[in-house]
Structures are given as C-alpha cells and as structure tokens.
Amino acid sequence: MPDWLLICFQDAKKLLCSTHKKDNLQRKLKTDFVARDAAVSHVLADIFGRSQGAIRENGLIDSMERDDFDGKLMQLKATWDCLVPGFHQWFVDYEADIFKLHLIRGITKSALLDGHFTNNQTESINNNVKNWLGRTGNLSFAVANSKLDELVRAQGQEFEISVYGNGSYELAEGYETLRKKRHIWNAMGSEERRNSLLSFWKSPLNLTRRTSPTPTHPTQEECPSLLVHHESSTEHHKVSLSLSLENFELDGCSSDLLKEIEENAEKLIASENGIVNAPGYDGVFVQHNAERGSSNVPPHMITWTKAGKYVCDCKLYTSLKICEHAVSVADSKGKLKDFVEWRKKEKVSTCLTDLVMSDITSGRKGKVLKPRRGGRTPLNKETAIVHREREPLMEDKSIDETLSALDEIEKDSPFELIYLFQTKAKLCYGCGEKYDRSKEANSLIVRKHCEREFTVQGVKKTKFQFAYFHLKKNCITKKCSEYKKEMLKMSSESKGILPEEVKGKLRRMGISVE
C-alpha cells in the first residue's frame, strides 16, 4: 500500500490475497526448490489448510494469534526440512512476517471478513474499468473522471434491471417483493417507475439470510389496463374474431388446430390485461390470465410489419408461423385478414419438437407424470464442517537441544531469550560466527539492545540496535561484560510458544517466563 494512501487511511487493514499468495508459493516450491508435486501439495496444505469432505484441516493461515502462528511454524520445521530442504528457513526469513501482518485469520477477522481475503472481485472490477476507459493510458484526469462517472451510472442501471428485467443480476432472497414483471413495468408511468427504483435503492441491506415473504399477485392498481382493443370487454363476455380461421386452409395446420387457436385468441381478447402496450418496444405483450400468476412464464412479445406479418416468440409460432397470441393482436388491430392472407402464402416445415413443447394440445397426448426418484440436494441444505488442526509428519527435536544449551550456559546471563527463527539475525555479535539457520532456527539465542560498532567505507560508526549472541557465556562476555543474572528474561515474542520442558528449566534457574 503506498505511503500516501496510508496517510489518508491510517486505520485501514492491509490485507493480501490468499489465492495469489498460494499460487506464488506453489511456483516458488516447484521452480526454486524443485520440489515434487506430492511435497508441494503437503507443504501448501500445512500453510493454507485443506478440506476433505466435511472435514477442514486448519493450516498456518488459520491462526488467530501471532504466537499461535509461530508455534505451528516451529513444529513444521522437521517435516518441511525433510520434504523440501531449505524451504522452512526461506519461509521464516521472507514470508512469516507477511502472513502474521496481512493474511492470518486473526487479521482478516479484525477487518470484519468471514474467511480469508481474496482480491479476485477487485481485479475483476479493475479489468472492467480498464476496458471502459481504454488501455492506452492517454487520458486526462477530467476525461477519466467523466468516463468513470458513466461507468458508475451504467453499473447502477444494470442493478436496476434486476427489478424489471432479466439482466446480469437477480434480486437476492428476501427482496422478491421489489420485483416487477415486465408487462407490469411497461404499464407503469414514469413517476411510478422512479418510485419503484427509489424503493430498490433505499431497501435496507440485510446480510443475514431470511425467509422469502409470501409472493403477492399484482392488483388492478399495480397493473392498469392498456388494452389495445376491446377495452371494456371481460372474460365473462363472449368475444368472436372478425374472421373464422376454420374457413381457411393453411399449410401445416389442421382444422382442429385452427379451431383451438381461434378459441384461445378469443379468450385473450376478452381477458383483462391480456394484451398490453410495451413502451419502448415496437410491439405489444400478450399473456393468458393463467400464466400471469406464475413468474416463470414471461409474456410473449408480438411485433408486426406493414405487409401483414405478425411475429410471436412462442414455440408454436416458431413451428407453424401462427399462434393465438399473433391472431389476437392482429384481430384487435383490425388486421386479421391481412395476417391470414400473409400466412396462406407461407410454406412451413413443421417442427414436431417445438409443436409438442408448445401450449397447443390438439393432435397429441398430455405428458404422463411420473414420480421423481432421487433428485438433487436442496440448495438450503448445509453440511456441517468439522475443523481440526494438521499434525506435522515428523517430531521436532529442537526441545532437547535447547535444554542441553541451558544446562551449559552460566547462571549469569544478559537480557532476553528469543528463538532464532523469530529474528533476522545472521551472525553472533560475540564470536562473529554465522548462524546455521538450517540447524539452529528453533534454538534459543540471547538478544540485547546496545550500541553497536560498524565500519562504512573505512569510517567507524556506532548505532543503537539489537545484538544477538549464541546461548553461551563466552559469546556474551566478549561484548557485554556488565551482564547480571537479574537482567535475563524471556522475550514477549517467545513466551507464548515456549515448550513446557523449557519453561520448567528456566523457572528452576530463577528466570521468569510469565
């Protein structure tokens, strides 16, 4: 995170993407450490955990506290050194602090996140912004700001489509009452639409799952009549078409089929709100009363041409070029004769599949319903996840080495005891020898904040900083002759992960470990 951004957002939590971090570590293991696939999978499972059915094995990243992370990492040294030699020390040097500051569960939980953080959604948004602005980079701030404003408004419109159309988004569970069917939306005035969208934007955000309210059917006030023809007619009055379809011979249509189309068309014309205008479209919507009670059956769009052609999007029309929807609209506009004359000229090749799947029943038997066996698992059925800690493959032997070192050290020792892997120490300030981190990473060393001497381009300089010593009296006394036993204590970083055996030894030496 840039420094200027940290100044503006001083309380912000800096999180790293766990998915990208896992990919990077996998690449590191395979490329730099040339680890086998089985070893890579095991090490990554130790770090990021693993799910097997209903069991979740927690990894390092699931640690709630830094001490917990260090304790688990300490126990993994023997296993990792066996599977991928050198990786444990590299991880301690370059990755451990990053995990403790930006990735472990305790950090993401403090940022009010349920689970580990990934920035896949953020990158998707970033890619969309680049596509909208263009990738040339030759934009002034004013132009970029204007285009971003357009993108925000376009995204808002996409959200609004979920209220009245079938866009990229759907209303979440519990907000179905905000949904307006397409034909109802098209029948609404501009003020009603604005109020509907305003209710959508002002709806309180509910992060918990709630039971969907019982759906309500639109009232007469919600769906005002916009009948194109026969506005005063109802289903209780018999309405006849201006022409009888049975008097015509149409290619691919039997007399029984034409009679059924005619009867259904008459019902559509007589029904209230069966035919409604479609503002913004060159056509009208048609829907039976029986279909209006179901949200899964959208109204059919009817369009037409000056040549008398009426087009419907239903399956029957696709197969036969005629249906009750097109006939009802043509008759309500006084153009049924023109439509029939156009249809007589058409030669159709009947698609039996579309005909069977349509709403026409003439000439075919109804589908035999059979009880369904089995089925998919219900969406609301949740599986209980059992969490457990992963165990290292190999036991860590560093405890015995630490106990042995404590036996050899003189009773009078200076300052803090800390594990080598918790530091960046490279060499002992006393004897000057480099630490062998592959062997000594889990060993206790002595840390003291003091004035250290160093040479820069032949000039001696001093600086107060931490100095580190082997757990040996000779190493300490070379630089710190003033030490006393009372000065020795455990560092705060190591208290939480100190094994009980080591704690007992330190207490017997008179050293406080609390």
Side-chain angles (χ1 to χ4, degrees), residues 16 33 40 70 238:
L16 296 181
F33 291 92
V40 172
D70 286 339
K238 176 64 177 177

Side-chain angles (χ1 to χ4, degrees), residues 15 18 103-105 107-109 112-118:
L15 305 178
S18 58
L103 284 161
I104 63 174
R105 183 175 291 275
I107 297 297
T108 57
K109 186 176 181 179
L112 303 182
L113 293 181
D114 183 17
H116 302 301
F117 171 73
T118 64

Side-chain angles (χ1 to χ4, degrees), residues 87-299:
F87 177 75
H88 186 274
Q89 188 53 52
W90 176 87
F91 188 87
V92 170
D93 290 341
Y94 299 103
E95 294 292 341
D97 288 343
I98 294 175
F99 269 76
K100 288 185 286 187
L101 291 174
H102 311 298
L103 284 161
I104 63 174
R105 183 175 291 275
I107 297 297
T108 57
K109 186 176 181 179
S110 67
L112 303 182
L113 293 181
D114 183 17
H116 302 301
F117 171 73
T118 64
N119 61 2
N120 291 343
Q121 294 181 342
T122 306
E123 290 191 356
S124 176
I125 294 174
N126 182 51
N127 187 64
N128 290 338
V129 170
K130 288 182 179 179
N131 291 337
W132 189 275
L133 298 181
R135 298 178 180 269
T136 60
N138 299 324
L139 287 177
S140 65
F141 180 80
V143 174
N145 191 45
S146 176
K147 286 184 171 290
L148 282 175
D149 182 63
E150 294 175 1
L151 175 60
V152 171
R153 284 189 280 108
Q155 188 66 60
Q157 291 173 357
E158 281 292 327
F159 294 156
E160 291 175 349
I161 291 178
S162 64
V163 175
Y164 60 86
N166 298 319
S168 304
Y169 304 95
E170 294 182 357
L171 291 175
E173 181 181 357
Y175 295 89
E176 293 87 347
T177 54
L178 298 173
R179 173 77 175 178
K180 300 294 182 184
K181 294 182 181 180
R182 178 60 70 90
H183 64 287
I184 296 178
W185 176 264
N186 291 328
M188 294 170 63
S190 58
E191 187 65 27
E192 292 177 302
R193 293 185 182 184
R194 280 195 295 269
N195 292 336
S196 179
L197 294 179
L198 188 61
S199 299
F200 165 75
W201 287 111
K202 287 187 175 182
S203 297
L205 182 62
N206 189 353
L207 298 179
T208 59
R209 180 176 295 180
R210 68 183 190 184
T211 305
S212 302
T214 303
T216 57
H217 299 292
T219 62
Q220 175 64 24
E221 290 74 14
E222 292 175 317
C223 186
S225 175
L226 287 177
L227 289 177
V228 177
H229 189 56
H230 302 294
E231 295 182 354
S232 60
S233 63
T234 66
E235 293 188 6
H236 300 288
H237 296 84
K238 176 64 177 177
V239 177
S240 300
L241 298 180
S242 57
L243 295 174
S244 176
L245 297 181
E246 296 182 70
N247 298 331
F248 297 90
E249 294 184 3
L250 303 180
D251 185 40
C253 299
S254 65
S255 58
D256 290 339
L257 176 63
L258 292 175
K259 182 178 180 181
E260 186 170 350
I261 291 176
E262 181 176 341
E263 291 175 352
N264 289 339
E266 291 172 348
K267 293 179 182 179
L268 278 172
I269 296 174
S271 66
E272 187 175 15
N273 298 320
I275 305 174
V276 296
N277 288 329
Y281 297 89
D282 294 329
V284 296
F285 285 120
V286 177
Q287 190 175 38
H288 288 285
N289 279 345
E291 295 175 343
R292 264 180 258 150
S294 173
S295 59
N296 296 325
V297 183

Side-chain angles (χ1 to χ4, degrees), residues 450-454 461-466:
C450 61
E451 187 177 20
R452 298 187 56 178
E453 293 183 356
F454 57 95
K461 296 185 178 181
T462 60
K463 183 178 181 180
F464 276 92
Q465 57 185 184
F466 279 116

Side-chain angles (χ1 to χ4, degrees), residues 341-359:
E341 292 296 330
W342 169 85
R343 177 58 182 79
K344 288 171 62 177
K345 301 176 184 178
E346 290 293 308
K347 301 296 181 182
V348 298
S349 178
T350 305
C351 177
L352 295 180
T353 301
D354 288 342
L355 183 58
V356 170
M357 295 301 292
S358 69
D359 297 329

